[in-house]
Amino acid sequence: MTTLLLHGLGNDAFQAMSLLGPVLPADTVAPDVRAHGESTLIGRPEDFELDRLAAELPVPAGPLTIVGISMGAALGLRIAISRPRDVRRLVFVRPAFTDSPLPPNLELFPVLGELLIRHGAREAERQFRGSARYRAVELVSRLGAVGLVSQLRAPLAVERAIRLIEIPRNRAFSSEQELSVLDVPTTVVAAPRDPVHPIEVAQQWADILPDARLVTVPARDDGLPQYAEATRAAVAAALDFPSR
């Protein structure tokens, strides 16, 4: 059975493997999504619909375990819904997308994208750091604020700004009925005090997916090594579940 690892918005396969690679099988497939990492594709707004992004990924045939981080969780969910007979196990780490387009936790991403287009990376960062929105995030999570700033410092940030504007406007799912086809062992991993990945969103996923459990790991602000160790342990335990 092949494991498919999907990274988060503004990150890449290398970052995802750095976090979870130590506990994933050697034959794990970890592609870069359009306008991320090594991908040279950018395109038009409609190219950033989740179903289109999922359809163009090199998803292996046959039985699959899907592991997705943040945006990758939403993409993994879309792939699973489109290929339920191929999916044996699902692991979603810090999901951020919901059944609503542009939920409150993702509202800052289009703001960052527009700042990049209008002002360039350096001035966009200066303006964002000086804003009340930045200070509000920093009060909750210093690393959450750092993560948002990293979107402005990413390679080709200006050229790829469209990803920040369009991808958060997607729904991960439309209804509980749509998810009813996914009756496979599912683990949803959440961390507290994460403004972009609220624990309430992870709880929503765990509540409506047919065979899901929620695992809470330490907040990133309490120590990245502890967060990474606990996240790897949660994923490793999920991969040990008997598949169907």
Side-chain angles (χ1 to χ4, degrees):
M1 178 165 46
T2 303
T3 298
L4 176 67
L5 174 64
L6 299 169
H7 64 79
L9 178 58
N11 286 307
D12 56 24
F14 178 81
Q15 182 272 340
M17 285 297 293
S18 296
L19 175 61
L20 298 180
V23 298
L24 296 178
D27 62 348
T28 295
V29 175
D32 283 320
V33 177
R34 173 186 290 267
H36 291 77
E38 298 297 320
S39 172
T40 59
L41 300 174
I42 298 182
R44 301 164 296 177
E46 57 266 31
D47 293 319
F48 290 89
E49 296 172 4
L50 284 180
D51 284 336
R52 289 199 182 194
L53 292 173
E56 68 187 16
L57 289 173
V59 179
L64 284 174
T65 290
I66 299 177
V67 181
I69 304 170
S70 188
M71 174 190 76
L75 283 170
L77 190 63
R78 300 313 305 169
I79 292 169
I81 290 169
S82 70
R83 297 174 53 175
R85 293 184 180 180
D86 290 340
V87 177
R88 299 294 185 269
R89 193 186 289 114
L90 296 167
V91 186
F92 299 128
V93 179
R94 294 163 54 232
F97 291 68
T98 69
D99 56 348
S100 299
L102 199 61
N105 53 299
L106 298 180
E107 286 179 347
L108 273 177
F109 287 90
V111 173
L112 297 177
E114 294 290 351
L115 283 172
L116 284 167
I117 290 171
R118 293 177 183 174
H119 303 291
R122 183 174 297 181
E123 177 62 13
E125 180 176 342
R126 188 192 71 79
Q127 290 197 21
F128 179 56
R129 282 185 176 276
S131 70
R133 285 170 162 169
Y134 173 83
R135 291 190 293 273
V137 173
E138 192 176 37
L139 282 173
V140 178
S141 169
R142 182 186 65 83
L143 288 179
V146 169
L148 290 171
V149 169
S150 73
Q151 300 285 350
L152 304 173
R153 296 180 173 181
L156 301 174
V158 173
E159 293 85 347
R160 293 170 165 180
I162 189 173
R163 67 190 182 187
L164 303 180
I165 296 170
E166 297 299 332
I167 292 177
R169 303 185 191 280
N170 284 269
R171 305 169 189 252
F173 53 92
S174 60
S175 67
E176 186 171 350
Q177 182 179 3
E178 184 183 32
L179 303 179
S180 63
V181 298
L182 302 180
D183 190 14
V184 296
T186 302
T187 299
V188 184
V189 181
R193 303 198 315 276
D194 188 332
V196 173
H197 312 88
I199 203 165
E200 294 81 8
V201 171
Q203 185 67 64
Q204 180 189 21
W205 284 48
D207 286 345
I208 65 175
L209 283 160
D211 186 11
R213 65 172 190 143
L214 180 69
V215 178
T216 303
V217 299
R220 293 181 300 163
D221 286 280
D222 290 341
L224 278 175
Q226 294 89 334
Y227 160 77
E229 180 180 1
T231 300
R232 289 169 184 155
V235 172
L239 297 181
D240 281 341
F241 286 172
S243 63
R244 296 178 187 170

